[in-house]
């Protein structure tokens, strides 16, 4: 009888120890980490850091285009730039004469070298697709149906339709406005760019160079 009782007591103690061990293992087992919520992946914008500036300039107008600059022609003698895009060229910028403001020859030479370095950076940026020529038909232009069905359009009948343009570059994560072109006559644009801006039935006229940017 004593042996039976002892055997029963041993079994109870063994079962109790096993239950406590299982409970202890459950407590010591680290909880499985919850999967972190997936963050929304932002798709790279075609205009890089100029994504906002380009669209702000266009302002949703259909008569606009943003063209990649494929080459930057720098005239180191005259200190001018010309931006080449798929539909032609922007035309020469006014000469950059900021280096003449230095009081000494050393200051002028330093400013000149900095201007030349900026031109080289723009040329490299164009090679990697980080410079754009953005152009939009001016709202004041009396083009298309506006010219035929608007009284104000008839009042501006003698005014030549024009466009505004800007050159922007994405350099080191910053959007830089390189140059601005105001009141570019539509007649000075190539036929391909003219059509890309939604213009039709342009009268045959000799192509002239666009006016220099402001």
């Amino acid at each position: 009888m004593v042996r039976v009782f002892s055997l029963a007591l041993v079994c109870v103690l063994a079962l109790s120890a096993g239950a406590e061990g299982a409970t202890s293992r459950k407590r010591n087992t680290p909880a499985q980490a919850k999967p972190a919520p997936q963050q929304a992946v932002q798709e790279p914008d075609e205009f890089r850091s100029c994504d906002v500036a380009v669209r702000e300039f266009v302002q949703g107008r259909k008569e606009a285009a943003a063209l990649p600059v494929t080459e930057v022609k720098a005239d180191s003698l005259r200190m001018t730039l010309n931006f080449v895009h798929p539909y032609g060229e922007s035309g020469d910028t006014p000469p950059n004469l900021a280096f003449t403001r230095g009081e000494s020859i050393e200051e002028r030479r330093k400013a000149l070298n900095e201007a030349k370095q900026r031109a080289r950076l723009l040329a490299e940026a164009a090679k990697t697709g980080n410079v754009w020529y953005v152009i939009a038909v001016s709202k004041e232009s009396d083009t298309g149906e506006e010219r035929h069905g608007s009284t104000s359009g008839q009042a501006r009948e003698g005014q030549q339709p024009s466009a505004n343009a800007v050159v922007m570059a994405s350099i080191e994560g910053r959007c830089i406005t390189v140059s601005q072109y105001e009141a570019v006559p539509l007649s000075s644009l190539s036929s391909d760019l003219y059509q890309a801006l939604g213009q039709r039935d342009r009268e045959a006229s000799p192509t002239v160079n666009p006016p220099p940017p402001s």
Side-chain angles (χ1 to χ4, degrees):
M1 185 67 178
V2 176
R3 292 181 179 178
V4 173
F5 178 78
S6 299
L7 182 59
L9 181 59
V10 171
C11 291
V12 171
L13 292 176
L15 292 174
S16 176
E20 290 180 359
T23 303
S24 177
R25 284 194 298 272
K26 288 183 179 180
R27 291 178 180 175
N28 295 332
T29 302
Q32 293 183 353
K34 295 182 180 180
Q38 294 183 353
Q39 297 180 352
V41 179
Q42 295 183 354
E43 296 182 359
D45 192 274
E46 59 181 322
F47 301 119
R48 280 79 170 184
S49 59
C50 292
D51 50 358
V52 174
V54 169
R55 292 172 175 85
E56 185 177 4
F57 183 85
V58 172
Q59 294 185 353
R61 282 176 280 176
K62 293 183 178 180
E63 298 84 4
L67 310 174
V69 173
T70 57
E71 181 184 359
V72 178
K73 295 181 178 179
D75 189 329
S76 59
L77 174 60
R78 297 167 182 82
M79 297 301 293
T80 60
L81 299 173
N82 187 10
F83 305 94
V84 182
H85 55 76
Y87 294 148
E89 301 181 1
S90 66
D92 289 336
T93 62
N96 182 1
L97 302 179
F99 65 91
T100 61
R101 301 169 187 169
E103 296 182 359
S104 64
I105 292 297
E106 290 75 13
E107 291 178 354
R108 295 180 184 182
R109 184 172 291 114
K110 179 180 178 181
L112 175 61
N113 290 331
E114 290 177 352
K116 291 164 62 177
Q117 177 63 21
R118 285 194 294 269
R120 284 192 289 268
L121 287 176
L122 284 174
E124 293 298 325
K127 293 178 181 179
T128 56
N130 283 283
V131 184
W132 300 272
Y133 176 77
V134 190
I135 183 171
V137 175
S138 301
K139 294 182 179 180
E140 294 78 9
S141 296
D142 51 338
T143 57
E145 297 178 357
E146 262 188 353
R147 179 167 47 192
H148 299 287
S150 169
T151 304
S152 60
Q154 293 176 359
R156 300 191 304 266
E157 187 175 357
Q159 183 178 356
Q160 186 179 17
S162 63
N164 295 328
V166 64
V167 177
M168 299 181 182
S170 177
I171 299 178
E172 297 180 352
R174 296 175 53 197
C175 184
I176 300 174
T177 298
V178 180
S179 187
Q180 293 181 342
Y181 299 77
E182 295 182 356
V184 180
L186 295 185
S187 59
S188 69
L189 306 178
S190 66
S191 58
D192 291 337
L193 181 53
Y194 188 86
Q195 294 178 5
L197 294 176
Q199 308 301 304
R200 299 180 179 177
D201 302 329
R202 181 173 71 173
E203 296 180 359
S205 59
T207 301
V208 296
N209 293 329
S214 59

